[in-house]
Amino acid sequence: MTRRALIVRQDNLGDVLLAGPAVRAVAAHAESVVMLAGPRGAAAAELLPGVDEVVTRCAPWIDPEPPPVTEASMCEFLDVLRKIDADEAVVLTSFHQSALPLALLLRMAGVERIAAISEDYPGSLLDVRHRVDGDPPEPERALSLARAAGFALPDGDDGKLAVRRPLPDVSDLVGEPGYVVLHPAASVPARQWPMFRSRAAVVELAAAGWRVVVTGAPADRELTAHVAGHVGADLSGRTDLPELAAVLDGADAVVVPNTGPAHLAAAVGTPVVSLFAPVVSAARWAPYGVRRAVLGEQLAACRDTRARTCPVPGHPCLTLVTPEEVVDAVREVTA
């Protein structure tokens, strides 16, 4: 057993949720687990089974709006790592991110054993340099690193996403079961279904017999109010992350772009209709381990560009998805 293990995932909410199976694998072989998360993903880390403590620190080499790198900020970061006092560290990164800046700080902090996926030569920064072939789903990619570092899932763990339970009672927000959630916002515009399509889908879903709950962050209120109209129940800004998990848990299905709540829905086991723009790979990033329908033209010209704003006029990969297709997909995943 490792005395104290550190698991790192410093990007977004969804990325942290996808690390859940790897976290549980490490937790099965450690006396305590600390998760180092960025400010965008720390709330998700608090929901992960197996995590005993969450430490939040922004990594300038990971965050999409990075703060400057200064000697003072790196010394503060180093102090944070020393106070964690981990024996081993498993550094989880996306395929386009480097684990080596953090590995350097971890080495300076005295962490004895460090594991990460790295295409770049790590020198003496890593004890376990893992490589992954192909394009596996992100949870499996992370779990393969945990296994390479000597941390296997315990018997009986199915390797799916999960959250801590019990979840809060949100019946005052959603009423009885029998509703569909539509989450219209995405973290970047290139991944978002057009607003007029979302509004029309709420009407179509209601006409098909579902109550529709529209969710979003406080910053999404103008969008969700328009999408919900006079038909859907607008919960934008009215839930924290555990409450949002509970809302998704009670839904028959969740209609959502490629963004954090898609993975939160998968983590509570709810079927997902994924409005997936191919700027990143659906094979890697589509909702994992639940019934799902992936909509959107996956061979569009924007494929694999990682664009934040759609480079193709009219955003056709998602604009051409109709509300009627969404209703059919909801029927498919809930049948």
Side-chain angles (χ1 to χ4, degrees):
M1 291 287 287
T2 297
R3 179 185 63 86
R4 191 163 172 82
L6 173 66
I7 304 175
V8 181
R9 186 82 206 210
Q10 289 186 275
D11 35 15
N12 294 324
L13 181 153
D15 304 298
V16 172
L17 291 169
L18 293 171
V23 169
R24 299 196 306 273
V26 174
H29 304 275
E31 293 179 9
S32 67
V33 171
V34 179
M35 189 157 197
L36 177 63
R40 300 172 191 272
E46 297 280 1
L47 282 177
L48 291 182
V51 173
D52 298 300
E53 179 184 351
V54 176
V55 174
T56 305
R57 189 76 188 185
C58 184
W61 51 91
I62 297 290
D63 197 88
E65 297 176 342
V69 175
T70 65
E71 181 178 357
S73 66
M74 291 301 98
C75 287
E76 290 175 5
F77 205 146
L78 188 56
D79 286 342
V80 168
L81 296 176
R82 285 179 174 140
K83 288 175 182 176
I84 291 173
D85 189 29
D87 303 297
E88 298 194 39
V90 177
V91 183
L92 302 175
T93 51
S94 182
F95 72 99
H96 61 276
Q97 299 166 349
S98 174
L100 299 185
L102 184 64
L104 174 61
L105 292 176
L106 290 167
R107 196 63 89 196
M108 294 171 66
V111 178
E112 295 177 2
R113 190 168 184 265
I114 305 169
I117 296 171
S118 183
E119 293 297 323
D120 296 324
Y121 173 62
S124 58
L125 293 179
L126 298 178
D127 301 287
V128 178
R129 179 195 184 187
H130 184 53
R131 300 189 191 190
V132 178
D133 295 325
D135 199 25
E138 190 66 7
E140 295 178 14
R141 183 175 180 272
L143 189 57
S144 74
L145 172 60
R147 282 197 300 265
F151 303 108
L153 280 172
D155 292 342
D157 191 316
D158 60 10
K160 294 182 179 180
L161 308 189
V163 296
R164 294 181 186 273
R165 293 180 182 269
L167 293 170
D169 180 3
V170 290
S171 57
D172 59 325
L173 296 176
V174 297
E176 296 297 319
Y179 58 90
V180 169
V181 169
L182 193 150
H183 186 94
S187 56
V188 295
R191 301 183 186 186
Q192 190 163 302
W193 203 28
M195 181 168 58
F196 78 95
R197 290 293 202 199
S198 292
R199 181 181 173 94
V202 170
V203 174
E204 291 290 335
L205 287 164
W210 281 287
R211 286 186 297 113
V212 184
V213 172
V214 180
T215 57
D220 302 326
R221 281 176 176 156
E222 184 175 348
L223 168 65
T224 59
H226 180 79
V227 168
H230 299 294
V231 178
D234 182 7
L235 299 189
S236 184
R238 297 176 62 189
T239 61
D240 59 19
L241 196 62
E243 289 166 336
L244 177 59
V247 170
L248 302 180
D249 187 42
D252 290 345
V254 177
V255 180
V256 59
N258 177 26
T259 194
H263 304 300
L264 188 59
V268 297
T270 299
V272 179
V273 174
S274 175
L275 298 159
F276 201 97
V279 290
V280 296
S281 165
R284 177 171 287 174
W285 298 105
Y288 182 75
V290 293
R291 294 195 68 183
R292 72 185 191 197
V294 177
L295 304 181
E297 177 48 68
Q298 298 307 299
L299 298 179
C302 63
R303 183 182 183 187
D304 295 332
T305 61
R306 293 179 47 227
R308 297 174 66 84
T309 301
C310 182
V312 183
H315 195 25
C317 69
L318 289 183
T319 300
L320 295 178
V321 177
T322 67
E324 292 79 11
E325 288 178 280
V326 167
V327 171
D328 288 343
V330 170
R331 289 193 180 109
E332 175 189 335
V333 299
T334 58

